Every structure is written in structure tokens, then in C-alpha cells.
Amino acid sequence: MHKKPRRRRCRTSSSSNISSPEEASHTRNRRLQARLRFARFPQRKTLEEFDFAFQPSIDRKLIEDLATLEFVADGVPILLLGQPGTGKTHLAVALAIKVVEAGYQGYFTSAADMCAAIAASYALGSFDHKIRTYTKPTVLVIDDVGLTPFSQAEANAFFQVVNRRYEARRATIVTTNRGLASWGELFGDPVVAAAILDRLMHRAVIVNIRGKSFRMREHQALIERMKKEVGSTV
């Protein structure tokens, strides 16, 4: 009894399983835009746009080293100190956008909004869910620490975020217009403030900006331009 010969199945490549370079690029861009929307950056900022000549106190080489994103893998905190308008938020957002463009997850929040949201979640019974918003992203930007003092519940919320990110070795970028020595007053408890700084300053990169306000420069330029315009019409 002869066996029937088996039919060989020809393997044909399906074009539906092969992405074109254009499709792959579109997919990457779509995912990037989704990460940027999730991050909630107030503006798109880049390091190339930053005027380092106006802020000579900033070590440009240090910022360029941070832009290599080694701080992300090591979970290194970054503290940006300086008066309002000196470019702290610009640098924080520009670095965080680089992190997101590299495929990681980022998130931006003001210190006041973050602490208020977490403090409110205690009463609502949603603390475990809410705090993940701030502890899960690869990099978290906490902006404007020091604009307003914190209540006891808000100070505890801030500590919870910083401590959990520290233990998970996730990078946190903080901007503040207050000297670190005044954080005890800011958080209403020197012990809580010391615990927060202990986590933030361990292996941290600290950038202390001693310079004038970019916004005041723009304001002064506007005044000078208006004076010239008024003078030319007299």
C-alpha cells in the first residue's frame, strides 16, 4: 500500500506582518505623543532653547551630562534651586522630555497640586490608587516647591512620594525657590523636612542658579522698546 505523498506547505511572507519604515515611524511617534500627553508638561522645552549665557552660574557641561540620561538608570534625584524666573522649570521639563523621548514614562506636577491631591485621597479612600500616579513614572518633575507652605497632611504626602521613589530608585526632579535650610519651616516640621531631604539629597545632583529672571529680562526689553516707540512719535 503506497502512502500518499505529503503536500509541502509553501511559506509565504505576509505583507501584513511586515511593517514598512513609514509605519514603524508612525507607531513610534504615536506612542511618543501618548507618553507626552500622559506626562502633562506645561510646555515643550528643549535644552537647545536655554540661554546659558544669561545664566553663567549654571555648569553647562553638567546639564549636558544629565542629558545623556544616566541619572535615570541610577535613579539620581536632581534639585534645581533658584529665584523665580531663573529657568529651573525650563531645565526640568527639557530633561524630562528627553527621558520621555527615550521611551520612558514621565510626569509633571506642581508640588501644591500633588500634595493637595494625595491629601484629599486619604478622605476619599483612594490613596493607594492616587499615589501611584506620582510613584510609577520613571521620572517625576515636582515643580515650585516653596511657593506655599504645606499642611501636615500635605507634608506627609510629599514624604510618601519621595520615599517610595527613593526606595524604587526612580529619578525625581525638584525645582524650588527656597533654600534647603528653610524647608523645616516650609513643611511645618523639621523632622519631616529632614527625612525628605535625606532621600532627595542622597546621590543627588544639585544645580544652584544664581542669576536674574528671564521674565524680568523680557519685561525690561518690552519697556525699552516702548520707550523708543514713544520717543519716535514725539
Side-chain angles (χ1 to χ4, degrees), residues 16-217:
S16 61
N17 294 329
I18 300 176
S19 297
S20 67
E22 293 79 7
E23 290 173 333
S25 176
H26 178 72
T27 298
R28 286 194 299 270
N29 185 62
R30 186 178 68 250
R31 290 173 178 172
L32 171 59
Q33 294 306 316
R35 292 195 301 274
L36 288 171
R37 286 193 298 272
F38 174 83
R40 300 178 65 184
F41 296 123
Q43 293 177 317
R44 293 290 295 271
K45 296 290 186 179
T46 68
L47 294 179
E48 290 74 19
E49 295 169 338
F50 192 84
D51 188 354
F52 286 95
F54 186 74
Q55 298 294 11
S57 66
I58 299 176
D59 184 348
R60 183 169 186 167
K61 180 63 167 57
L62 173 61
I63 302 301
E64 290 173 347
D65 286 344
L66 291 173
T68 65
L69 306 185
E70 288 187 13
F71 77 93
V72 176
D74 297 334
V76 173
I78 300 174
L79 276 64
L80 297 161
L81 287 67
Q83 292 302 308
T86 52
K88 303 182 301 297
T89 301
H90 184 140
L91 291 175
V93 170
L95 287 170
I97 285 178
K98 279 191 170 294
V99 174
V100 172
E101 288 175 340
Y104 300 101
Q105 192 176 58
Y107 195 80
F108 177 96
T109 180
S110 71
D113 287 348
M114 178 186 77
C115 292
I118 296 175
S121 73
Y122 289 122
L124 298 173
S126 57
F127 171 78
D128 291 338
H129 173 74
K130 176 56 67 175
I131 199 169
R132 283 197 293 271
T133 301
Y134 307 102
T135 57
K136 184 179 177 182
T138 309
V139 64
L140 172 71
V141 177
I142 307 177
D143 195 37
D144 283 336
V145 176
L147 284 185
T148 58
F150 298 99
S151 67
Q152 183 177 2
E154 290 170 339
N156 180 60
F158 196 101
F159 170 75
Q160 290 292 336
V161 171
V162 168
N163 184 56
R164 294 184 186 209
R165 293 188 63 81
Y166 172 78
E167 291 179 344
R169 295 180 69 87
R170 293 195 176 104
T172 304
I173 304 176
V174 174
T175 77
T176 180
N177 63 353
R178 297 283 291 269
L180 301 181
S182 67
W183 278 31
E185 177 186 354
L186 175 64
F187 285 95
D189 187 335
V191 175
V192 172
I196 291 171
L197 287 172
D198 178 65
R199 273 76 172 172
L200 280 179
M201 295 185 69
H202 182 217
R203 301 179 298 109
V205 173
I206 300 177
V207 180
N208 197 351
I209 307 174
R210 305 178 187 89
K212 298 178 181 179
S213 167
F214 282 103
R215 286 189 286 271
M216 288 304 296
R217 179 183 68 172

